[in-house]
Amino acid sequence: MNFTDRDRAVRAAVAQGLVGPAEPVAGLLDIAGIRRSAAELRAAFEEFTAPGTPVLHAFAVKAASLVPVLRLLAQEGLGCEVASPGELALARAAGVPVARTVLDSPAKTRAELREALALGIAVNADNPEELARIDSLMASAPSSAPVGLRVNPQIGGGSIGAMSTATDTSKFGVGLRDEGARDWVVRSFLARPWLTRLHAHVGSQGMPLELMTAGVGALFALAEEINERAGRRQIDTLDIGGGLPVNFSSDAVTPTYREYVAQLHATVPGLLSGRYGLVTEFGRSLLAKHGTVLARVEYAKSAGGRPIAVTHAGAQVATRTVFAPESWPIRVAAYDAEGRPKTGAPVAQDVAGPCCFAGDLLAENRPLPLLESGDHAAVLDTGAYYYSTHFAYNSLPRPGIYGYAADPDGTVRFATVRTPQTLEELAAESGGAHTESLRDLGRQ
């Protein structure tokens, strides 16, 4: 049998007790794979972009809100795209320079905007009211922070409606096809010399490359129009967002960054000509393939003639998959009690999680080598979002996360990314310091 680095990491995680009776679920991150994806992203843009063009690849922090991961990506030349005060705090804790940080959010408070402008963080305003708020802040405390405006080309969505950001009624940005909106955008730039960036994010899981490039083309055309009307290069940077889809059906990486940038070069050649600096905001496509959630099978049972493997990974780590399995199907691999890949004839079975509702299933009627008590289920392609969207149902603690690298001799080394949450920490997070706070309320 040919063992992959993932197979070696699973076996080592079991052998070293990262997953076992005491810690029945953990996340594993392939660090060499993450470095490789970051290098492929940089190389794709370097190949097609004019020499000397400023390009900032700002990782979407929501995809992996883990300080060591942000630090690793910063060392690989990436910045951070943040969408909340918490994400900004994580980026700063990781040592990401403010000059390599971009703030996006549809609901920025005045305090968030004031802090970002004071620090010099790039801000993309989402709507006319937010732009008016920035006007007042700039009047009281002028800032040299780059400021842009987010627009929505309204070109349509991908296969997952809830993830699509470029539909006619998306909550994000200024809809360019709404009556009077495009003219308002142009006038807004002409009235504000400090407004120097345009932003659009049209990519999402299930979005074809043709629609993504069409959205970027619409952004480029608008920038050209504004600069022509201004009679100068007012817009100097285009933020084209991220959202490159991920293949969740096999180990193959498709589409690739190179395929996407090559299509941009063919359809929007002026974008990469050096006339504009560029910002990207990729997240899922950088990390998804490099994560594995490994869970111990606690019980094997059957119902209605179908085998069920009851594991410790369910909705608390795979929320989207459990609640929307048609949109977010996930691969599951079977390993034995020692962490070796299981062999044997595939048997249709359910792989269930620990949450106390019937729909907590990672896979339903899935053909796999029969999982038994003490075996392990590995949930693949979980490097993005599965570690940053923990669902606290049933007060299940957040699992530990470990980065790994396999040496040439097959030895696997681990480094802690996040320690497992203790029950004491969970109780404290749930108001443990205020146990008696309600005692005297509501008494007559």
Side-chain angles (χ1 to χ4, degrees):
M1 178 180 291
N2 293 323
F3 293 101
T4 65
D5 285 351
R6 179 173 62 220
D7 294 334
R8 296 185 182 93
V10 167
R11 187 165 186 182
V14 173
Q16 296 181 32
L18 301 182
V19 174
E23 297 291 347
V25 60
L28 308 178
L29 280 170
D30 177 1
I31 302 307
I34 294 173
R35 292 184 191 276
R36 185 170 59 249
S37 287
E40 290 168 353
L41 171 60
R42 296 194 314 268
F45 277 84
E46 288 168 2
E47 178 180 352
F48 290 98
T49 303
T53 302
V55 180
L56 170 62
H57 298 297
F59 173 71
V61 172
K62 55 186 169 288
S65 48
L66 300 162
V67 171
V69 171
L70 304 183
R71 181 65 172 174
L72 170 69
L73 291 172
Q75 292 167 344
E76 293 297 313
L78 276 64
C80 281
E81 182 265 335
V82 301
S84 72
E87 289 184 358
L88 175 57
L90 297 182
R92 299 194 72 185
V96 178
V98 293
R100 301 184 65 79
T101 304
V102 180
L103 173 62
D104 292 321
S105 166
K108 306 179 197 71
T109 66
R110 186 177 292 272
E112 290 174 59
L113 290 169
R114 182 182 296 110
E115 178 186 26
L117 293 173
L119 289 172
I121 292 171
V123 175
N124 287 318
D126 178 81
N127 56 71
E129 287 190 8
E130 183 180 343
L131 188 57
R133 183 173 288 183
I134 294 174
D135 281 338
S136 65
L137 291 171
M138 293 287 274
S140 61
S143 169
S144 60
V147 180
L149 179 66
R150 181 169 184 168
V151 297
N152 172 12
Q154 295 173 305
I155 53 151
S159 61
I160 305 175
M163 297 293 106
S164 298
T165 59
T167 59
D168 285 348
T169 56
S170 169
K171 74 176 187 178
F172 293 107
V174 178
L176 288 180
R177 297 184 181 181
D178 289 1
E179 185 176 357
R182 189 182 188 94
D183 183 60
W184 176 86
V185 168
V186 174
R187 287 187 287 107
S188 295
F189 275 87
L190 298 181
R192 298 170 176 84
W194 45 263
L195 194 58
T196 60
R197 293 187 171 193
L198 263 180
H199 170 44
H201 180 103
V202 300
S204 67
Q205 186 63 21
M207 175 72 85
L209 292 188
E210 293 76 15
L211 273 183
M212 289 182 64
T213 54
V216 174
L219 184 74
F220 175 78
L222 178 58
E224 294 282 273
E225 178 183 345
I226 291 169
N227 283 350
E228 182 178 356
R229 290 274 301 274
R232 55 189 172 85
R233 186 172 173 262
Q234 176 166 344
I235 295 177
D236 58 26
T237 302
L238 297 180
D239 184 335
I240 64 173
L244 191 71
V246 170
N247 166 35
F248 287 104
S249 62
S250 74
D251 281 337
V253 175
T254 178
T256 65
Y257 290 122
R258 190 186 186 282
E259 289 168 343
Y260 177 44
V261 183
Q263 189 152 331
L264 285 173
H265 184 261
T267 57
V268 198
L271 176 78
L272 307 174
S273 67
R275 294 212 295 277
Y276 297 96
L278 298 174
V279 177
T280 72
E281 300 175 355
F282 296 102
R284 179 180 293 110
S285 56
L286 277 161
L287 261 69
K289 289 307 215 182
H290 309 306
T292 301
V293 172
L294 184 62
R296 178 180 166 88
V297 178
E298 194 66 41
Y299 298 108
K301 56 187 290 187
S302 67
R306 183 186 297 169
I308 303 172
V310 182
T311 79
H312 289 271
Q316 89 277 24
V317 292
T319 312
R320 288 175 175 174
T321 292
V322 168
F323 286 105
E326 297 82 9
S327 297
W328 297 101
I330 206 73
R331 294 187 293 153
V332 178
Y335 290 84
D336 68 15
E338 295 183 8
R340 299 170 300 197
K342 289 205 77 169
T343 57
V347 176
Q349 58 197 292
D350 292 351
V351 182
C355 296
C356 199
F357 64 95
D360 187 28
L361 301 172
L362 293 174
E364 189 171 2
N365 206 24
R366 183 77 56 85
L368 292 167
L370 186 64
L371 287 163
E372 302 171 292
S373 299
D375 285 345
H376 298 86
V379 193
L380 310 184
D381 304 331
T382 49
Y385 290 97
Y386 288 80
Y387 302 150
S388 58
T389 53
H390 184 84
F391 181 45
Y393 190 78
N394 286 146
S395 295
L396 290 164
R398 289 185 289 275
I401 301 171
Y402 306 92
Y404 69 85
D407 292 335
D409 64 358
T411 302
V412 176
R413 292 177 291 125
F414 290 100
T416 300
V417 174
R418 185 181 73 195
T419 56
Q421 186 181 31
T422 67
L423 297 182
E424 291 76 15
E425 289 169 338
L426 193 151
E429 188 176 83
S430 299
H434 309 286
T435 303
E436 298 295 334
S437 65
L438 305 180
R439 181 177 58 186
D440 298 324
L441 291 181
R443 288 183 174 177
Q444 299 298 321

